[in-house]
Amino acid sequence: MSNFKTFPKANLNRDLFAISVDASLKTSLQAQLLEALRGLISKSSDLVGTRLPASRTLASELSISRTTVQAVYDQMISEGYLVTRQGSGTFVASEITHLSQPQPIPRPAGPKTQKWLPFQTGLPDQSLLPHKQWARHLERAWRNPTPELLARADPLGWYPLRAAISDHVAAWRHLSCDPGQVVITSGAREAFEVIFHGLLGAGKQVAIEDPCWPKLHTILRDTGNLACPVRIDQDGLDVTRLPDKAHATIVTPSRHYPTGVSLPLPRRVALLDWARQTGAVVIEDDYDSEFRYRGQPLPSLSGLDGLNNTIYLGSFSKLVSPALRIGYLVVPKHMLQSTRTYLDRVGPRASLIPQPALATFMNSGEFAMHLRRMRRVYARRQSHLLTALAPACDLLELQPDSSGMHLCVALRAALADRMSDIEISQRAGENGLRISALSDQCVLPQKMQGLLLGYAAFDEDTLSDAADRLVSLIQLPL
């Protein structure tokens, strides 16, 4: 059933709520209310036929006598603004002949919703989320909220969700931790702010992979720290290249962003040895390790370390929806008090609204089923994309990836000699594609060349069409 007829009543209730009368003014309360109601009705033809609150109700809301309200209603009835209906109440008159029709107020059109463009990275297919089940968990949590939900929120996050995350990382990432070590955040940026503002402090040298997530440079600068990029090789981060005075390093060992390289076990062990010997902290950004298509994933760095010299970052943006704005940290026990002190001071930014629903979604088993379904679909889409790009195999190095949500495709010499990845990215943008250039995510000299092709959020037909356009534009000369 349409809600159209409820809008005028909602607007009237909103405007009545905004009315205020002041007994300290020289103008009487009756005159103030009369002027306010006249103005309200005069400016909006949408209110025609709308029922006004009972005089007793409005008097209570305005903290004035019912007699005053009834006198105003009687005056406006006599002036033709209002009419009464026996047994029904008082309504705005349908014809107020002495008033000119108000001119509609022009409103600018709202911003158009922009669609995701093919090959955009970091996007899950949100249509795969079991929306009915998710809505049920939300409704159950807030239909009759528990007293704990309405109390002062724990700055570390909703405890049942923290417990569910503890179980999740134990099962999926071999990371054993207490729920108390889990901290709910609004995403990666807040997580890094907690680490550098609340735990490690400013003025630190922080080793980061090159290439890496471009926003990481901005975050480190904004938190008063110095980014020290270290160029990765075919096996990821080489510990022997880390700066001697680095206080911390940020790594993506399960699947390096953006190349997709997995850090082998010997390098993981060497990195943890380096942290123990130097007293540095390893910050493990495990952004999409759940999407593993072939083989067994290596345990998380933090799991190998036992959370002694490591901090673990996870996110639900790629597992549920970017709109959820829920991520998490798992911190060593000796850092918990500093974490709580910082969040007590600045306050948490993650909304409490979805947290109980996410907790029950995870505990019900539906979340694990959702992940397995996404993993099957994404594996199929990656294979489909590689097949669709096969006509350009002489120009692009097309190799399947054992995990992730995007392919990092290197340029063969026949293509690299004609155009750079940035030029390809620009031409793709002119053809309705969103392709990130690998070199744009490097800061060190001799930047790596490649194309980042996101496939997770797009169905097979969309990927086929996008692949055809990409093949056509790289086969054409500049």
Side-chain angles (χ1 to χ4, degrees):
M1 184 175 67
S2 172
N3 288 327
F4 177 78
K5 291 184 178 180
T6 69
F7 292 162
K9 182 177 180 181
N11 292 340
L12 177 62
N13 288 335
R14 177 199 63 200
D15 292 336
L16 286 174
F17 183 75
I19 290 176
S20 63
V21 292
D22 187 350
S24 66
L25 298 179
K26 293 182 179 180
T27 307
S28 68
L29 296 177
Q30 181 175 327
Q32 292 179 50
L33 179 58
L34 181 61
E35 181 182 1
L37 286 178
R38 280 175 179 161
L40 191 159
I41 294 172
S42 299
K43 72 180 182 182
S44 179
S45 59
D46 290 340
L47 299 180
V48 167
T50 305
R51 184 179 182 275
L52 271 70
S55 58
R56 186 187 304 277
T57 301
L58 186 57
S60 175
E61 291 183 358
L62 296 177
S63 298
I64 59 179
S65 72
R66 181 187 179 192
T67 302
T68 299
V69 176
Q70 190 59 59
V72 170
Y73 279 8
D74 291 342
Q75 178 66 26
M76 296 187 71
I77 291 170
S78 67
E79 293 176 358
Y81 286 91
L82 305 177
V83 295
T84 58
R85 298 175 189 169
Q86 187 66 33
S88 297
T90 304
F91 297 81
V92 177
S94 58
E95 293 184 6
I96 307 176
T97 56
H98 58 287
L99 294 179
S100 59
Q101 290 296 318
Q103 296 298 316
I105 301 174
R107 296 180 182 271
K112 293 183 178 179
T113 302
Q114 295 184 349
K115 295 182 179 180
W116 302 116
L117 297 179
F119 297 139
Q120 196 157 350
T121 61
L123 299 175
D125 187 341
Q126 297 178 73
S127 69
L128 297 178
L129 180 69
H131 293 281
K132 289 184 178 179
Q133 291 94 318
W134 174 248
R136 185 179 68 247
H137 290 296
L138 272 174
E139 195 271 340
R140 283 179 177 174
W142 292 102
R143 177 180 54 199
N144 185 21
T146 64
E148 291 80 9
L149 275 175
L150 303 178
R152 182 178 183 272
D154 186 334
L156 300 187
W158 180 241
Y159 190 83
L161 176 57
R162 296 160 65 198
I165 291 171
S166 175
D167 292 339
H168 172 75
V169 296
W172 290 72
R173 302 301 297 124
H174 304 286
L175 172 56
S176 178
C177 66
D178 295 333
Q181 294 175 259
V182 178
V183 181
I184 307 301
T185 71
S186 60
R189 184 176 185 93
E190 186 191 7
F192 285 119
E193 288 176 356
V194 171
I195 292 171
F196 290 110
H197 283 318
L199 301 179
L200 304 185
K204 301 293 191 296
Q205 292 189 30
V206 182
I208 60 174
E209 299 160 321
D210 184 77
C212 73
W213 181 42
K215 292 183 180 179
L216 196 52
H217 293 272
T218 302
I219 292 171
L220 288 173
R221 183 179 65 248
D222 290 349
T223 55
N225 292 283
L226 176 64
C228 303
V230 178
R231 176 59 53 80
I232 67 161
D233 58 24
Q234 70 277 6
D235 288 324
L237 182 69
D238 185 350
V239 179
T240 63
R241 299 181 183 178
L242 291 174
D244 293 337
K245 296 182 179 181
H247 299 88
T249 182
I250 302 172
V251 292
T252 52
S254 297
R255 186 172 187 273
H256 170 257
Y257 183 86
T259 66
V261 172
S262 179
L263 195 67
L265 184 58
R267 288 199 176 183
R268 294 179 183 226
V269 173
L271 181 57
L272 295 177
D273 286 341
W274 169 82
R276 283 191 289 268
Q277 293 168 11
T278 63
V281 176
V282 176
I283 302 166
E284 178 181 12
D285 185 359
D286 207 22
Y287 63 97
D288 69 355
S289 63
E290 285 85 356
F291 300 124
R292 184 85 181 179
Y293 312 127
R294 289 174 293 278
Q296 292 296 319
L298 291 172
S300 64
L301 269 178
S302 301
L304 289 173
D305 176 60
L307 282 171
N308 291 310
N309 301 287
T310 50
I311 300 174
Y312 182 90
L313 275 73
S315 173
F316 291 97
S317 293
K318 297 173 179 61
L319 308 183
V320 180
S321 168
L324 193 63
R325 303 303 304 158
I326 295 291
Y328 58 93
L329 287 170
V330 185
V331 301
K333 290 182 178 179
H334 66 269
M335 292 185 176
L336 265 178
Q337 187 54 53
S338 298
T339 305
R340 180 173 291 277
T341 299
Y342 172 76
L343 287 172
D344 270 331
R345 178 167 56 87
V346 303
R349 296 211 299 265
S351 172
L352 180 62
I353 298 297
Q355 292 186 43
L358 183 55
T360 57
F361 183 49
M362 297 177 74
N363 291 330
S364 69
E366 294 169 355
F367 177 62
M369 293 174 61
H370 171 57
L371 293 185
R372 289 195 290 269
R373 180 190 180 199
M374 294 171 80
R375 192 161 54 183
R376 292 193 300 270
V377 171
Y378 293 174
R380 186 169 64 245
R381 289 177 180 177
Q382 183 194 117
S383 178
H384 182 88
L385 176 58
L386 287 168
T387 300
L389 291 173
C393 62
D394 58 329
L395 302 175
L396 301 173
E397 294 184 12
L398 301 174
Q399 298 292 334
D401 199 332
S402 61
S403 60
M405 301 167 67
H406 72 268
L407 291 171
C408 183
V409 179
L411 312 185
R412 295 191 184 276
L415 177 58
D417 291 341
R418 290 193 292 112
M419 62 181 82
S420 68
D421 59 356
I422 292 179
E423 291 170 325
I424 296 172
S425 175
Q426 292 171 344
R427 293 181 65 173
E430 296 167 359
N431 286 269
L433 304 177
R434 178 75 177 273
I435 298 178
S436 296
L438 179 59
S439 63
D440 268 344
Q441 308 194 25
C442 300
V443 298
L444 296 175
Q446 299 180 336
K447 297 182 178 183
M448 302 170 70
Q449 292 280 308
L451 306 176
L452 307 186
L453 306 178
Y455 54 82
F458 309 103
D459 61 30
E460 281 84 348
D461 289 342
T462 301
L463 290 173
S464 293
D465 175 69
D468 289 343
R469 280 184 275 166
L470 174 57
V471 170
S472 296
L473 72 88
I474 63 176
Q475 288 177 339
L476 292 173
L478 278 175

